Amino acid sequence: MISVVIALYNSTKYIVEQLDSIRLQSEPVDEVVMVDDASTDETVAVVNSYIKKYNLSKWRLYRHKTNLGFVGTFRDALDKSNGDIIVLCDHDDIWLYDKIRTIMGVFRNDEGVLALNTSFVKIDENGVIRKEIHTPFKSNNGLIRRRVHKKLNKMDLKDVLVYNISPGCTCAIRKDLLRDYKNICENIPHDLCLNILAGIKGGLYYLDVVTTKYRIYQGNTIGLGHEKKLKKRTALVQRNLEEKCQVLSILKK
């Protein structure tokens, strides 16, 4: 069973395009779990209308009464999912047509894969692919701090300790990781924690295939854009420091 989990917050601008890219996959998913984090716009109405329009009986929408933030919202969505394979999804990206077929081919071929990250291209707020500077000694848009030379690459724990190897919207996991995730991970971003747990268990992998158009724009909650304002850069440094402290706590546990 394949589940997709999505955290929503003020998502009206891009959510329909993302839901279309999930619904029209070459290999269909079994359920989509969406949790709205107390949006102040028409997100809930738009999503409910979409589910009704296409008669999507296995697509479920839940709503928080108060805003918990993306970490708590994804934790809630993961807790409500039922799939053996769970695909993480952002509300404002676009999936390539064969994303599910591509990643499921890896999971079905190797039971040792616990977390699978894939490559991506960046798009702007209008869906236009952004030009990127090639980094010769790095991989996956510079996120992996070494070159990979194969299509499917087993990653070491050390690859993910300093910085995540891919944004969460390109990651899929086996449900086996959720028990430790629920018991150990608290405030650390879900995708980073899941990848660390997979790395500890020897099941962290990177597939060097583009599956996702990752949207970078002013409204990103967490993004890969370069922040120019000193105040925001300082806040990012502080957040990264707090994450590293939480990573140490996970390793100890």
Side-chain angles (χ1 to χ4, degrees), residues 71-124:
V71 174
T73 303
F74 264 109
R75 173 178 283 272
D76 194 10
L78 286 165
D79 188 56
K80 296 179 185 302
S81 64
N82 300 297
D84 302 300
I85 303 298
I86 302 168
V87 187
L88 309 182
C89 180
D90 285 350
H91 68 146
D92 48 10
D93 300 326
I94 303 172
W95 284 9
L96 271 61
Y97 175 67
D98 281 327
K99 175 169 180 170
I100 293 296
R101 186 182 301 276
T102 298
I103 63 176
M104 288 306 299
V106 176
F107 279 110
R108 288 168 179 149
N109 190 55
D110 189 346
E111 294 184 357
V113 178
L114 298 178
L116 179 66
N117 297 260
T118 63
S119 190
F120 60 97
V121 293
K122 298 177 186 177
I123 58 175
D124 64 16

Side-chain angles (χ1 to χ4, degrees), residues 144 146 148 153-157 159 165 199 202-206:
I144 299 175
R146 61 183 174 89
V148 299
N153 303 270
K154 186 173 183 178
M155 307 302 291
D156 295 326
L157 174 61
D159 288 316
I165 61 175
L204 177 62
Y205 284 79
Y206 166 67

